[in-house]
Amino acid sequence: MTIKPIVILGTGGNCIDILDTINDINAIQLKYECVGFLDDNPDHWGQRIAGLPILGPLPTAIDLPSSHFYVNGIGSPRNFWEKESIIAKTKVGIEKFETIIHPTAHISNMSDIGRGTVIFQNVTITSNVKIGDHVIILPNTVISHDDVIGDYSCIAGGVCISGVVAIGKSCYIGTNSSIKQNVSIGDFSLVGMNSAVLRDVPKNNVVVGNPAKFLRYTR
């Protein structure tokens, strides 16, 4: 089996968790060699994290060997709506982004997972779910049947999404929040932690609380 060289975009907490997930995958079957990180902060260039080098800024990706693959760990409640433009800095095609799934995650064979998506420990994804490209799903989240999650979205830890929910592009669903069945969440929206979403959320909205209510616009 060919070992894939892989580069992690970013150096924050999720990025180190991605490295940890890659190590857990390799402990079962050797698939990847993580060669380092890319980060736009010049103070980080030339340093090492977890024994691996920070190779330079994101645009450096286009100059790295064509054999390299990539995975993105950048994205937080502070910049989630910018995730698409952040990844675009690499000028690397979607085919060079690797989907990383922790061995403890359970994913139905009837579901579809996009490229560049990361799924962490103990995530459950049931039947007929469609996950877009560059989505990140943090530990212990449950995604129920017939849900759709748009590209570039982040689902934080412990989230429970009921069936037939549609989450748009570049959304952020906060830790331990819950979403009622048949609800839709518009693009670029944020659901605050511990919130209970009982009705549709329009585009560019931040909602919080139980039940979740409008707090402000995203941008």
Side-chain angles (χ1 to χ4, degrees):
M1 181 177 181
T2 302
I3 307 303
K4 293 183 177 181
I6 194 164
V7 177
I8 299 172
L9 307 185
T11 57
N14 285 338
C15 305
I16 305 306
D17 290 340
I18 289 172
L19 175 60
D20 196 39
T21 294
I22 289 170
N23 290 338
D24 286 347
I25 292 169
N26 284 341
I28 296 172
Q29 182 178 11
L30 187 60
K31 291 183 64 175
Y32 302 110
E33 178 192 3
C34 189
V35 298
F37 302 85
L38 295 178
D39 191 285
D40 282 343
N41 186 340
D43 293 336
H44 293 169
W45 302 344
Q47 297 186 19
R48 301 180 78 86
I49 295 180
L52 297 173
I54 301 171
L55 303 168
L58 270 64
T60 306
I62 198 69
D63 300 319
L64 294 177
S66 61
S67 60
H68 284 19
F69 288 81
Y70 299 85
V71 60
N72 177 66
I74 301 170
S76 74
R78 297 183 300 276
N79 68 353
F80 65 93
W81 61 88
E82 298 178 319
K83 189 172 176 180
E84 182 176 8
S85 61
I86 290 169
I87 293 172
K89 291 181 181 181
T90 65
K91 298 182 180 179
V92 172
I94 187 65
E95 72 282 355
K96 298 300 291 184
F97 280 86
E98 192 72 4
T99 298
I100 303 294
I101 301 174
H102 195 275
T104 62
H106 175 79
I107 300 173
S108 168
N109 290 329
M110 292 183 281
S111 287
D112 183 42
I113 310 297
R115 290 202 64 98
T117 285
V118 179
I119 300 173
F120 283 124
Q121 296 96 326
N122 301 313
V123 169
T124 297
I125 297 175
T126 61
S127 60
N128 300 315
V129 171
K130 295 186 183 301
I131 308 289
D133 298 330
H134 296 298
V135 173
I136 189 166
I137 304 173
L138 274 61
N140 301 313
T141 282
V142 176
I143 300 175
S144 299
H145 65 89
D146 301 292
D147 290 340
V148 177
I149 298 176
D151 297 344
Y152 305 103
S153 286
C154 176
I155 313 299
V159 170
C160 184
I161 304 175
S162 300
V164 202
V165 167
I167 296 174
K169 172 182 176 180
S170 300
C171 291
Y172 191 99
I173 311 300
T175 302
N176 290 331
S177 57
S178 300
I179 304 174
K180 182 178 177 287
Q181 68 267 21
N182 298 304
V183 163
S184 65
I185 296 176
D187 297 344
F188 307 106
S189 288
L190 181 147
V191 174
M193 63 187 303
N194 294 314
S195 295
V197 182
L198 305 182
R199 60 183 65 185
D200 292 351
V201 176
K203 181 179 179 180
N204 288 319
N205 274 211
V206 176
V207 297
V208 298
N210 183 1
K213 295 180 180 179
F214 174 80
L215 177 65
R216 58 177 172 82
Y217 292 106
T218 306
R219 299 173 291 176

